[in-house]
Amino acid sequence: NNFNFILLSVIVFILQLMELVDMVYIHFFYFSFLFLFFKHLIKKFLFYLGSMPHQTLDPIPISSSLVAAIQTIVSRNVSPLDSAVVSIGKIEGGYSENVISDTVSLQGTVRTFTLETQNLIKKRLSEICQGIGQAFEVKIDFEYRVGYPPTINT
């Protein structure tokens, strides 16, 4: 199968240029071994291209939906007589304009005056992450770190 051999040779050459592998010796006999060895890398670089978005899950629009849903927590779950702020301060993801990222990271803060409101927001954040994950068929890792309690001067 000459075409497969040439295709693998080109892929290995590109991986060498990208310094993902040090040195690879290609021989027709080793085709099956090399293909299995590079299957993960080949899949990542071929199927995350922006020209084939239907073959992967794009975390950038998923994170946009997540941010939009998170922004409704205070307006729809916290009493107008209480005070709370939920902010997403950092979104990080992507490699290039023509490659679909495989991960996105979001970081933010929650500020409340009462422990009850803080627990409510933590619960809603977890539920929203779980719901968005199920809706888009992705895994969302949710971590909530409790900082210092609010300082209330009396």
Side-chain angles (χ1 to χ4, degrees), residues 5 8 25-32 34:
F5 179 74
L8 181 64
Y25 295 99
I26 299 176
H27 189 271
F28 187 73
F29 180 73
Y30 297 111
F31 174 73
S32 296
L34 288 174

Side-chain angles (χ1 to χ4, degrees), residues 66-86:
L66 186 59
V67 171
I70 288 171
Q71 293 304 311
T72 66
I73 293 174
V74 174
S75 65
R76 297 295 176 246
N77 299 117
V78 177
S79 168
L81 303 176
D82 201 355
S83 182
V85 176
V86 177

Side-chain angles (χ1 to χ4, degrees), residues 57-71:
L57 297 170
D58 190 346
I60 302 289
I62 296 171
S63 66
S64 299
S65 296
L66 186 59
V67 171
I70 288 171
Q71 293 304 311

Side-chain angles (χ1 to χ4, degrees), residues 36-59:
L36 291 174
F37 183 70
F38 292 111
K39 185 176 180 182
H40 175 70
L41 292 176
I42 292 168
K43 182 180 177 187
K44 183 171 181 114
F45 287 104
L46 289 181
F47 294 118
Y48 288 153
L49 293 176
S51 63
M52 295 183 266
H54 60 286
Q55 294 187 2
T56 187
L57 297 170
D58 190 346

Side-chain angles (χ1 to χ4, degrees), residues 8-21 45:
L8 181 64
S9 300
V10 170
I11 290 171
V12 171
F13 177 72
I14 291 170
L15 292 174
Q16 285 177 331
L17 288 178
M18 298 175 71
E19 298 178 357
L20 293 174
V21 293
F45 287 104

Side-chain angles (χ1 to χ4, degrees), residues 50-152:
S51 63
M52 295 183 266
H54 60 286
Q55 294 187 2
T56 187
L57 297 170
D58 190 346
I60 302 289
I62 296 171
S63 66
S64 299
S65 296
L66 186 59
V67 171
I70 288 171
Q71 293 304 311
T72 66
I73 293 174
V74 174
S75 65
R76 297 295 176 246
N77 299 117
V78 177
S79 168
L81 303 176
D82 201 355
S83 182
V85 176
V86 177
S87 299
I88 301 299
K90 182 179 178 183
I91 301 176
E92 186 173 46
Y95 309 105
S96 176
E97 68 275 357
N98 65 339
V99 177
I100 295 173
S101 175
D102 58 343
T103 61
V104 171
S105 171
L106 284 77
Q107 295 178 5
T109 60
V110 174
R111 297 171 191 227
T112 64
F113 283 131
T114 65
L115 186 59
E116 178 184 319
T117 305
Q118 186 181 64
N119 289 335
L120 170 69
I121 291 175
K122 179 181 177 182
K123 177 179 167 267
R124 289 298 298 140
L125 282 169
S126 177
E127 292 169 349
I128 288 171
C129 288
Q130 184 180 8
I132 295 287
Q134 287 177 347
F136 288 98
E137 299 176 341
V138 297
K139 180 180 181 245
I140 297 177
D141 295 322
F142 174 68
E143 179 184 343
Y144 189 94
R145 288 180 285 183
V146 179
Y148 297 104
T151 303
I152 302 174

